[in-house]
């Protein structure tokens, strides 16, 4: 999870965000539960003791790989952003984080697949999110399957 960890000085991140407001939260959906990544303490905080991996997309490999990351836009932290730019800014911020994970995976011999095709409302319910929070991307991480780009 080094993709979103703080820079060593100044409390910054390795992904940009509008006004430095950290408008995207990263969740890790693991077999044992759903965890929110805490970038300040660089740790995972349990959100739900439930396996929600299969809710993070529609394809068959979803739910089979060991890890699905979910990028959640926090609209409450975008009060300084004009409403018509919320979606663009959230997508750009999440995209930078997604790319960091792709780069890490490439360096570690892992596979990754990002997904925008997901049932946001249903996933938000399974993640126990509030009305300010919206899952906008998910990303499966795992070992690349032979003859297949989908991670397992
Ligand atoms: C914004 C965005 C949304 C995407 N949504 C999905 C998706 O819902 N399901 C999926 O399988 N791949 C999705 N992808 C991944 C692309 O299909 C994939 O990156 C492309 O086929 C190239 O494959 P590669 O990344 O393995 O090189 C998405 C990529 C982007 C940038």
């Amino acid at each position: 999870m080094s993709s979103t960890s703080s820079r060593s000085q100044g409390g910054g991140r390795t992904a940009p965000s509008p006004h430095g407001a950290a408008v995207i939260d990263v969740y890790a959906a693991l077999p044992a539960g759903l965890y929110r990544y805490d970038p300040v303490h660089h740790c995972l905080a349990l959100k739900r003791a439930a396996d929600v991996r299969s809710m993070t997309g529609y394809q068959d490999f979803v739910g089979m790989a060991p890890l699905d990351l979910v990028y959640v836009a926090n609209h409450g932290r975008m009060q300084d952003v004009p409403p018509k730019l919320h979606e663009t800014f959230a997508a750009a911020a999440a995209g930078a984080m997604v790319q960091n994970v792709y780069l890490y995976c490439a360096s570690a011999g892992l596979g990754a697949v990002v997904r925008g095709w997901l049932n946001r409302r249903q996933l938000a319910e399974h993640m126990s999110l509030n009305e300010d929070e919206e899952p906008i991307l998910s990303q499966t991480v795992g070992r690349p399957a032979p003859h297949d780009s989908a991670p397992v």
Side-chain angles (χ1 to χ4, degrees), residues 52-115:
V52 303
R53 289 175 298 160
S54 64
M55 308 308 302
T56 66
Y58 294 104
Q59 289 119 315
D60 289 345
F61 62 81
V62 175
M64 294 168 58
L67 170 64
D68 285 288
L69 299 172
V70 184
Y71 298 84
V72 173
N74 188 315
H75 292 279
R77 290 189 213 129
M78 285 194 269
Q79 283 160 3
D80 293 337
V81 176
K84 69 178 182 183
L85 292 179
H86 279 201
E87 198 173 341
T88 304
F89 280 25
M97 298 164 103
V98 159
Q99 182 60 34
N100 281 350
V101 173
Y102 268 106
L103 291 172
Y104 173 76
C105 287
S107 73
L110 296 170
V113 182
V114 69
R115 285 185 299 285

Side-chain angles (χ1 to χ4, degrees), residues 12-79:
R13 309 279 173 84
T14 55
S17 61
H19 302 289
V23 298
I24 303 295
D25 289 322
V26 184
Y27 286 77
L30 292 160
L34 174 70
Y35 299 81
R36 189 180 67 80
Y37 175 59
D38 175 348
V40 175
H41 301 102
H42 191 42
C43 65
L44 295 175
L46 182 65
K47 172 79 172 180
R48 278 198 66 202
D51 184 356
V52 303
R53 289 175 298 160
S54 64
M55 308 308 302
T56 66
Y58 294 104
Q59 289 119 315
D60 289 345
F61 62 81
V62 175
M64 294 168 58
L67 170 64
D68 285 288
L69 299 172
V70 184
Y71 298 84
V72 173
N74 188 315
H75 292 279
R77 290 189 213 129
M78 285 194 269
Q79 283 160 3

